[in-house]
Amino acid sequence: MTERELKILFIGSVVPDTAEFRTPAFSRAGNLAQQGLLDGMADAGAQLKLLSFQPVPAFPRSRQLTVLGRWLGGRHQQRTLPFLNLPYLKQISLAGGILFAGMAAIRQQRPDYLMSYNVNSFVSGPLGVLSKAFHIPYIPVVYDVDVPGSTVPDRLYQRWEYAWARRVLPRLRGAVVGTALIGHNLMPGRPRVIVEGGLNWSQQQYAPGTPTQDPTFDIVFAGALERYNGIDVMLEALQHLPSDVRLHIAGQGALKSAVEAAAVNDPRVIYHGLLDMAGLRTLYAQGDLLINHRSDLRLDSRYVFPSKLIEYLASGLPVLSTRFRSLPDDYLPFMGVIADESSQALAQAVRDVMAEPHTAWNRAARGREFVIAHKAWAIQGRRILDFLEMV
């Protein structure tokens, strides 16, 4: 490892987490991951320049026919790219924008590395061209490889992207991957470092959880309201639990209306909408237990890690989780593992926590220490830079 300042040109979809940018295509988890990656590498000494594109549903799901680019500046000299917001033309215009904006950025200040968030064809294609033309290593961060029919619909475009990823990944010089199985299955023998997520500064400031004095037992879920997160399983499990148990849900997604209906029909279900970081901190402070019900039966979980789990552990609250395939073993001592994906198994796991709260809270305290010591983005950023200098 050298002490020189590494210069990185990064292409991603990170945007300010403000009302202006929170479209239906906005993913807070993905946005936080990218912001954490960038800040972590900068904290470790890298100089970054960021080209990003705003997540917006394509027309006609969005009324925008075009999305304008602009200079946002900030710590990472961020510029957003313009594009036509029509199906297929969107990807073509973004590929062209990345190619020409990337070329201009390289000529202005030559980076040591090209990086991107994931390897979508319209991103990794032009970056591959720039890498060869200017002899600059391209090392992407691969956090999501969508499997048609599982994580995304089984359609022509999604099949194309999956085939593209399977073709590109084994040819990379190296990659930062979100799960061990991305490296093992999709780029065997190629250099990679596993960084499944991290904690930003505000997430590290969560006050350590303590048992609430409220007469109710409050379960909290925060994340995407999708079947693969077991939203319906949680609602059903509530029917098998004592009347003093409450289920708090925060987030947005396809099952939002189902959650809203449940909240109307059952006073034990409380829906909080989409919360910002301050709102999440307040919600966690009211909780007795956090649920991560990532499904292996409803989702091919090999190539995606729910980074929310790291945030859960940082709260210092007891955590229950399914044992999905991309879950590293080093997380297991710090959470209760649900026996299977049924509502009965979830209800039993909750009852176990209620029966032995001292054990659950001790495990939670050790989990908080673990993620702060090993998963802070400043630490992860240093690991990434060390990896870049080795490949």
Side-chain angles (χ1 to χ4, degrees), residues 9 74 114 148 290 314 321 357 383:
L9 175 61
L114 303 175
L290 301 174
S321 177
R383 291 180 62 222

Side-chain angles (χ1 to χ4, degrees), residues 28-52:
R28 174 162 288 138
N31 207 67
L32 280 172
Q34 292 177 78
Q35 193 64 60
L37 283 161
L38 294 165
D39 289 344
M41 290 189 289
D43 289 344
Q47 179 184 333
L48 290 115
K49 183 172 289 187
L50 172 61
L51 298 176
S52 66

Side-chain angles (χ1 to χ4, degrees), residues 27 51 65-67 79 89 132 148 162 170 175 179 230 245 290 384:
S27 164
L51 298 176
L65 291 173
T66 60
V67 176
R79 179 180 296 280
L89 290 178
K132 290 181 179 179
Y162 185 55
T179 76
V245 175
L290 301 174
I384 292 171

Side-chain angles (χ1 to χ4, degrees), residues 36-233:
L37 283 161
L38 294 165
D39 289 344
M41 290 189 289
D43 289 344
Q47 179 184 333
L48 290 115
K49 183 172 289 187
L50 172 61
L51 298 176
S52 66
F53 50 92
Q54 181 182 355
V56 180
F59 183 87
R61 289 186 297 142
S62 166
R63 295 183 179 181
Q64 289 181 266
L65 291 173
T66 60
V67 176
L68 301 178
R70 59 173 137 160
W71 172 256
L72 296 179
R75 183 183 188 187
H76 309 307
Q77 306 175 61
Q78 181 176 5
R79 179 180 296 280
T80 62
L81 299 171
F83 57 90
L84 297 173
N85 197 35
L86 295 165
Y88 302 110
L89 290 178
K90 177 178 186 173
Q91 288 80 8
I92 294 171
S93 61
L94 273 171
I98 291 169
L99 181 65
F100 289 106
M103 189 181 304
I106 290 170
R107 286 175 172 165
Q108 183 181 49
Q109 183 181 54
R110 181 184 175 87
D112 299 298
Y113 296 93
L114 303 175
M115 299 188 73
S116 68
Y117 186 71
N118 292 322
V119 289
N120 302 83
S121 59
F122 61 88
V123 175
S124 59
L127 285 179
V129 171
L130 293 173
S131 175
K132 290 181 179 179
F134 291 93
H135 305 288
I136 301 172
Y138 170 46
I139 310 292
V141 177
V142 187
Y143 268 16
D144 305 289
V145 179
D146 285 318
V147 180
S150 178
T151 56
V152 292
D154 188 8
R155 298 172 183 160
L156 180 62
Y157 177 71
Q158 285 74 18
R159 291 179 197 171
W160 157 257
E161 287 292 347
Y162 185 55
W164 175 272
R166 290 181 66 88
R167 178 176 176 80
V168 167
L169 288 171
R171 293 167 169 78
L172 291 173
R173 179 167 176 166
V176 179
V177 297
T179 76
L181 288 171
I182 292 175
H184 182 271
N185 294 352
L186 301 179
M187 47 185 305
R190 306 306 301 155
R192 68 261 188 183
V193 60
I194 303 169
V195 179
E196 68 272 14
L199 288 172
N200 61 33
W201 184 86
S202 64
Q203 290 169 319
Q204 294 176 61
Q205 307 313 305
Y206 290 143
T210 56
T212 64
Q213 302 304 311
D214 195 289
T216 60
F217 186 86
D218 294 277
I219 300 171
V220 174
F221 169 83
L225 307 186
E226 304 290 346
R227 290 186 73 251
Y228 60 73
N229 275 331
I231 303 301
D232 55 326
V233 179

Side-chain angles (χ1 to χ4, degrees), residues 330-356:
D330 56 354
Y331 284 79
L332 295 177
F334 311 114
M335 64 183 71
V337 178
I338 305 166
D340 59 49
E341 296 187 14
S342 68
S343 60
Q344 292 84 357
L346 174 57
Q348 183 58 54
V350 173
R351 286 192 291 266
D352 291 344
V353 171
M354 296 176 73
E356 297 187 35

Side-chain angles (χ1 to χ4, degrees), residues 282-350:
T282 300
L283 179 58
Y284 292 161
Q286 300 170 1
D288 297 292
L289 177 65
L290 301 174
I291 302 291
N292 175 66
H293 204 276
R294 177 55 60 91
S295 175
D296 258 339
L297 302 176
R298 300 172 172 185
L299 179 83
D300 190 332
S301 67
R302 293 173 297 169
Y303 308 139
V304 60
F305 179 86
S307 56
K308 177 67 68 175
L309 185 56
I310 301 175
E311 180 182 297
Y312 274 9
L313 292 172
S315 73
L317 290 170
V319 175
L320 285 178
S321 177
T322 51
R323 189 167 184 178
F324 50 93
R325 280 176 287 178
S326 61
L327 178 63
D329 288 344
D330 56 354
Y331 284 79
L332 295 177
F334 311 114
M335 64 183 71
V337 178
I338 305 166
D340 59 49
E341 296 187 14
S342 68
S343 60
Q344 292 84 357
L346 174 57
Q348 183 58 54
V350 173

